[in-house]
Amino acid sequence: HAIVIGLQSTGEAGMEVALEELAESLAESTGKNVRRSDSGKIDFEDMTLSGLVSTCSSIMTNFVRNHFPIALPLAEVPKVPEIPPNGFASESERLEHMRLSDLAERIKNEPPPEPIPELVERRNAILESIRSLDLPPNPLDDIIDRLGGVENVAEMTGRTGRILRNKKSGKYRYVKRFGGPSKQKSYGLSMPVSREDENDRLNVVEKRKFMEGKKSVAIISDAASTGISLHAD
């Protein structure tokens, strides 16, 4: 039997956010600096993970951090009308324009409101409760892990990396799909290096392995599904 699974999204953006938070948390607890590439991105391949990463947790955490209020809202800056080409029609209009301009400038220069300790404490409590939840991991990584790993699953997507489990050690690591040689060599990846459009080339290789029966499961994301046709004997 052959299985074909279609996904609308790989969840890569959420996974990268979750990995960045995890890397910074590990660095804070161990006292070691986070290793970054020349472009400033964190090198996820240096991390040893306890399991697959939950993108749900990352989404919930970011939502609370960005939308739970911990301070009074900023004062609204009034809209200052443009000065009429022919000047103000009256002295009262000129004075009103000056008043609005001064008010807008004063509000812009005000420091942001100080966080309210009680609200900060409540937000931290919510964040801590999210961390304690047993949330599902990234669906794509979970499917690959459950269905035999990369040796049995052909992944045709646009994402640059994934989290895989080493069957011998049982440890999880982030592994690049393309974009240069990966530091992790023991996860069944065979990547084209220094070629044009590595993503499409890798997906073609994965497609061929599925159609030749070397892999019995194919996973296709929306980004890689255009014009593709699969069959297996």
Side-chain angles (χ1 to χ4, degrees), residues 134-152:
D134 185 18
L135 297 171
N138 176 280
L140 182 49
D141 289 334
D142 193 28
I143 291 172
I144 292 175
D145 189 59
R146 289 172 181 267
L147 296 182
V150 292
E151 294 81 6
N152 190 51

Side-chain angles (χ1 to χ4, degrees), residues 153-178:
V153 180
E155 178 186 340
M156 286 161 274
T157 69
R159 65 175 181 167
T160 58
R162 51 192 177 184
I163 296 175
L164 301 175
R165 176 165 53 94
N166 186 308
K167 292 184 177 179
K168 293 183 179 179
S169 65
K171 295 181 179 180
Y172 292 84
R173 283 189 178 276
Y174 176 88
V175 182
K176 290 180 181 178
R177 292 188 69 236
F178 63 91

Side-chain angles (χ1 to χ4, degrees), residues 164-229:
L164 301 175
R165 176 165 53 94
N166 186 308
K167 292 184 177 179
K168 293 183 179 179
S169 65
K171 295 181 179 180
Y172 292 84
R173 283 189 178 276
Y174 176 88
V175 182
K176 290 180 181 178
R177 292 188 69 236
F178 63 91
S182 175
K183 297 177 183 178
Q184 307 299 333
K185 301 296 184 180
S186 58
Y187 295 93
L189 294 178
S190 178
M191 299 181 297
V193 181
S194 301
R195 299 179 185 178
E196 184 181 1
D197 206 350
E198 293 175 304
N199 184 22
D200 286 344
R201 291 176 181 271
L202 178 56
N203 288 339
V204 168
V205 171
E206 291 284 73
K207 174 185 174 182
R208 186 179 70 247
K209 289 181 178 180
F210 174 75
M211 296 181 67
E212 291 175 350
K214 296 179 180 178
K215 297 188 177 185
S216 59
V217 181
I219 301 180
I220 312 172
S221 71
D222 188 56
S225 63
T226 304
I228 198 169
S229 176

